[in-house]
Amino acid sequence: MKCTRLNEIIEKNCSTAVEYAVSFGHTLDFTDASIKKVEEILDYYANELSTSSADDKPTENQVWSMAIIWGSYLGETMVRNIGEPCKWIYEEGEYLLEAKEAIANPVGKTYKRLINGKEDNVYSFYDIISLEIKKHINAN
């Protein structure tokens, strides 16, 4: 996928996340603090998923759609706060972050958060992976 098209997709997903956050009373601004708000929103969705009856559960595709939207925001916040050379790539059907050959999967992490609950906290992921990517960049 061409870089321009990928960036357009990520931008659209981020805009959707920002719009959805408003319905939760949150304003997302691509800061570290905004990831705590995303974690709260994902906690709500995860609780809904775990308590829904079989008839009310979203399909696997719907869960992945939520993961792509919120994971795009999570990843884009990382890109903006880590800076160059951190960037989005599309590989083997996945939206990933890459920085000097280090790879992170914010969409996959967001999916796990929705399915597994608090044990897959996205704020912890954001904090730890951002630090590790920065160390990797500085070491290489």
Side-chain angles (χ1 to χ4, degrees):
M1 181 178 297
K2 290 185 179 180
C3 186
T4 304
R5 176 79 178 120
L6 176 59
N7 289 334
E8 288 171 359
I9 291 168
I10 297 301
E11 184 178 315
K12 183 177 184 290
N13 290 338
C14 289
S15 293
T16 301
V18 169
E19 288 174 29
Y20 287 174
V22 171
S23 68
F24 287 89
H26 294 306
T27 301
L28 301 182
D29 58 2
F30 299 96
T31 60
D32 296 351
S34 72
I35 300 304
K36 289 181 180 178
K37 295 173 184 177
V38 170
E39 173 59 31
E40 289 176 24
I41 294 167
L42 294 176
D43 190 52
Y44 170 83
Y45 285 134
N47 288 332
E48 286 290 308
L49 283 170
S50 69
T51 59
S52 295
S53 68
D55 292 338
D56 292 333
K57 279 201 189 293
T59 65
E60 186 71 7
N61 283 343
Q62 289 170 321
V63 176
W64 271 108
S65 291
M66 286 192 299
I68 290 168
I69 290 166
W70 296 106
S72 293
Y73 180 84
L74 172 63
E76 184 60 20
T77 302
M78 293 171 78
V79 167
R80 291 181 186 197
N81 290 301
I82 293 169
E84 291 288 330
C86 188
K87 64 183 178 192
W88 284 99
I89 61 171
Y90 184 77
E91 194 170 281
E92 297 181 25
E94 293 188 280
Y95 301 109
L96 304 168
L97 295 184
E98 189 269 333
K100 292 191 175 183
E101 299 181 12
I103 303 291
N105 188 344
V107 173
K109 181 61 175 186
T110 303
Y111 176 82
K112 287 180 181 180
R113 176 60 177 95
L114 291 167
I115 298 302
N116 298 335
K118 291 180 189 266
E119 70 188 63
D120 279 300
N121 183 295
V122 295
Y123 186 77
S124 295
F125 171 86
Y126 173 84
D127 196 36
I128 293 166
I129 299 302
S130 293
L131 181 63
E132 291 301 316
I133 289 175
K134 287 175 187 176
K135 284 181 189 176
H136 179 78
I137 290 168
N138 292 332
N140 291 305

